[in-house]
Amino acid sequence: MLVVKKFGGTSVADNERIMNVAKRCIADYKAGNDVVVVLSAMGKQTDVLIDMARSINPTPPRRELDMLMTTGEQISVAMMAMAMDSLGVPAISLNAYQVAMHTTSVYGNARLKRIDTERIRNELDLKKIVIITGFQGVNKYDDYTTLGRGGSDTTAVALAAALHADKCEIYTDVEGVYTADPRIVPKARKLKEITYDEMLDLATLGAGVLHNRSVELAKKYGVRLVVRSSMSEAEGTVIKEVVKMERMLVSGVAADKNVTRISVVGLDDRPGVAFRLFDALAKANINVDMILQSIGRHDTKDITFTIPRDMEKDALDAIEGIKDTLNMEHVDTNSQVAKVSIVGAGMMSNPGVASKMFECLFNANINIRMISTSEIRVTVLIDEKEVEKAMNVIHDMFGLDD
Ligand code: ADP
Ligand code: ASP
Ligand code: MG
């Protein structure tokens, strides 16, 4: 059997934890399996590296930031190979360049395009445990790229797909996927299983337990994922196409604080205005999320939308760039907002889920600033300081606790 095992930063934060992970991987190896290990940087090393970059240049060139960030994963894989060697097991660490993990060129947010598997296969044939850097890739200029924060999960799933692995296990600092972030909602319950679609929505809407693109890839290539704890033997959560049990109305609540709301006020009410605005944002590589256009009156309208908070400056620059081609009165921004969402496949056939969510926010005196929905989710934009309260009351309302 070929197993891909991914361990996050907390799971390899110090020598003791590295040893613990090494022993877990060796147990699989000694049972006769081919073992590929994907690691994140140790502890909060990626944050430390970003601070280091900003200390010398507040807006570091994205290529150089990637060059710096990729060192984090390189340290952890080398340390792991050394730990395994000390336990008498042959192991080799490889970075994205050595494997050849090809990505698109966008620094800081690259997408994996192709992974060469030859080197990995050769090392496995030599009976070694192969330890690979998560989060990084190489673009067509032979430069290092990174896949976006939390991207090691995506490396692991992509490797599992490319190697046709039998199992892909994501080890982290909680025991699986919960009905809400257990650090914010103490009553959150661990899910036995969840569908790709629900997990994709939860991850995209802020449930940081998995990088959303890892779920997208897992669905595309049918990689069955297990999320579990690196500190205990507890059974984790399985993510797969269909779940056996009856679909729950709501399977989870997620929150995302990396949000800024931008309103462009007093635009002309004529064709092409929305196109020009969002085209400029798309060209600046900005992901727009919720969009609200007011009804036109006196020949003007307002367009309000949300973007990731760390893209605020880029977005305002992009709007400034088209100011002359669009009439607008002013631009208003608010970065003290956050999104709270409920996700569940059962919602599709059950009207009234959204109103139940709005009712409990009303009961908690929380004001809703924007709303957006899909077949299996409802998202509201609220004040950032009310996120914890909102998540807990919504979680209670839908009876998601045990
Ligand atoms: P790693 O370093 O292992 O990748 P992350 O910090 O990226 O770990 O992800 C694990 C964290 O995700 C947990 O500590 C938890 O606080 C958070 N989290 C958010 N939403 C959920 C959820 N629905 N279920 C489990 N954990 C969640
Ligand atoms: N080390 C990277 C980060 O902190 C990637 C990861 O942990 O998945 O974002
Ligand atoms: Mg993570």
Side-chain angles (χ1 to χ4, degrees):
M1 203 154 73
L2 196 160
V3 194
V4 174
K5 299 165 94 71
K6 180 259 167 178
F7 295 86
T10 325
S11 307
V12 291
D14 53 35
N15 285 5
E16 196 185 322
R17 290 190 181 168
I18 289 178
M19 276 304 195
N20 164 51
V21 168
K23 286 177 190 152
R24 264 189 112 133
C25 296
I26 288 172
D28 256 1
Y29 171 84
K30 292 224 159 127
N33 299 307
D34 285 336
V35 180
V36 172
V37 183
V38 175
L39 299 183
S40 296
M42 292 171 66
K44 299 235 171 291
Q45 181 68 9
T46 308
D47 294 326
V48 171
L49 292 170
I50 293 172
D51 287 347
M52 200 173 144
R54 291 202 179 125
S55 73
I56 202 156
N57 180 343
T59 52
R62 290 184 200 262
R63 177 193 181 276
E64 303 308 330
L65 187 60
D66 277 4
M67 187 71 178
L68 184 67
M69 285 197 292
T70 49
T71 63
E73 272 65 17
Q74 209 156 306
I75 292 174
S76 52
V77 293
M79 291 294 283
M80 185 61 71
M82 292 175 197
M84 290 181 181
D85 177 76
S86 78
L87 296 168
V89 172
I92 183 166
S93 64
L94 297 173
N95 70 13
Y97 199 93
Q98 292 167 314
V99 171
M101 288 202 257
H102 305 273
T103 70
T104 55
S105 6
V106 190
Y107 298 105
N109 196 22
R111 282 176 169 262
L112 280 166
K113 291 205 303 198
R114 187 167 52 83
I115 298 179
D116 297 346
T117 52
E118 197 185 333
R119 175 78 191 263
I120 303 174
R121 293 258 181 228
N122 290 344
E123 301 295 351
L124 290 173
D125 287 345
L126 295 170
K127 293 287 159 237
K128 291 183 197 166
I129 296 182
V130 183
I131 309 156
I132 300 174
T133 48
F135 181 52
Q136 56 182 252
V138 179
N139 67 13
K140 64 179 175 201
Y141 309 111
D142 273 355
D143 285 335
Y144 282 108
T145 54
T146 61
L147 309 181
R149 297 304 306 270
S152 299
D153 302 326
T154 299
T155 309
V157 175
L159 277 166
L163 293 164
H164 306 289
D166 299 281
K167 266 208 256 178
C168 183
E169 299 170 328
I170 309 285
Y171 288 85
T172 184
D173 54 7
V174 287
E175 288 187 356
V177 178
Y178 284 67
T179 47
D181 187 339
R183 295 182 206 284
I184 300 178
V185 179
K187 284 195 240 166
R189 179 171 50 83
K190 186 171 78 184
L191 297 165
K192 249 183 128 52
E193 40 188 26
I194 183 167
T195 63
Y196 290 125
D197 288 335
E198 290 172 306
M199 190 64 234
L200 183 57
D201 268 356
L202 281 177
T204 306
L205 295 165
V209 63
L210 280 178
H211 193 233
N212 67 346
R213 289 220 303 281
S214 71
V215 188
E216 209 172 79
L217 276 186
K219 180 179 163 72
K220 186 167 170 195
Y221 295 102
V223 177
R224 196 182 152 111
L225 281 182
V226 179
V227 176
R228 54 186 303 191
S229 165
S230 64
M231 332 275 172
S232 85
E233 293 291 334
E235 227 177 277
T237 304
V238 179
I239 299 141
K240 55 184 192 169
E241 193 57 67
V242 269
V243 296
K244 270 183 259 102
M245 55 186 173
E246 178 136 347
R247 285 183 167 179
M248 276 189 291
L249 195 57
V250 173
S251 46
V253 186
D256 187 358
K257 293 186 177 177
N258 180 19
V259 185
T260 287
R261 186 189 64 163
I262 297 186
S263 295
V264 186
V265 180
L267 286 158
D268 284 348
D269 189 17
R270 60 180 162 86
V273 170
F275 162 65
R276 287 212 182 82
L277 176 62
F278 292 113
D279 183 53
L281 294 165
K283 287 192 173 125
N285 258 318
I286 296 162
N287 277 327
V288 175
D289 184 29
M290 304 168 96
I291 300 178
L292 190 78
Q293 175 172 304
S294 69
I295 295 174
R297 59 196 135 70
H298 313 305
D299 296 329
T300 69
K301 64 185 172 191
D302 309 334
I303 295 181
T304 302
F305 54 91
T306 59
I307 54 160
R309 199 173 292 170
D310 43 16
M311 296 301 279
E312 183 176 325
K313 187 178 172 296
D314 298 52
L316 293 176
D317 287 349
I319 297 171
E320 183 66 30
I322 51 164
K323 223 166 125 188
D324 294 339
T325 58
L326 285 184
N327 279 326
M328 61 181 86
E329 274 162 30
H330 66 275
V331 178
D332 186 55
T333 64
N334 183 349
S335 43
Q336 257 96 59
V337 289
K339 284 185 293 186
V340 173
S341 309
I342 52 173
V343 172
M347 245 181 244
M348 238 181 298
S349 48
N350 274 282
V353 175
S355 76
K356 213 167 149 188
M357 178 183 184
F358 304 155
E359 182 191 350
C360 81
L361 291 172
F362 164 64
N363 289 339
N365 202 21
I366 296 171
N367 193 30
I368 301 172
R369 295 171 171 274
M370 279 172 96
I371 299 170
S372 84
T373 62
S374 82
E375 274 185 322
I376 66 163
R377 72 169 171 96
V378 182
T379 300
V380 294
L381 191 76
I382 61 171
D383 283 347
E384 183 178 3
K385 58 181 187 330
E386 308 208 280
V387 164
E388 282 76 16
K389 183 162 90 175
M391 284 186 83
N392 279 285
V393 294
I394 294 170
H395 196 269
D396 278 350
M397 175 68 138
F398 287 99
L400 294 176
D401 46 345
D402 342 62

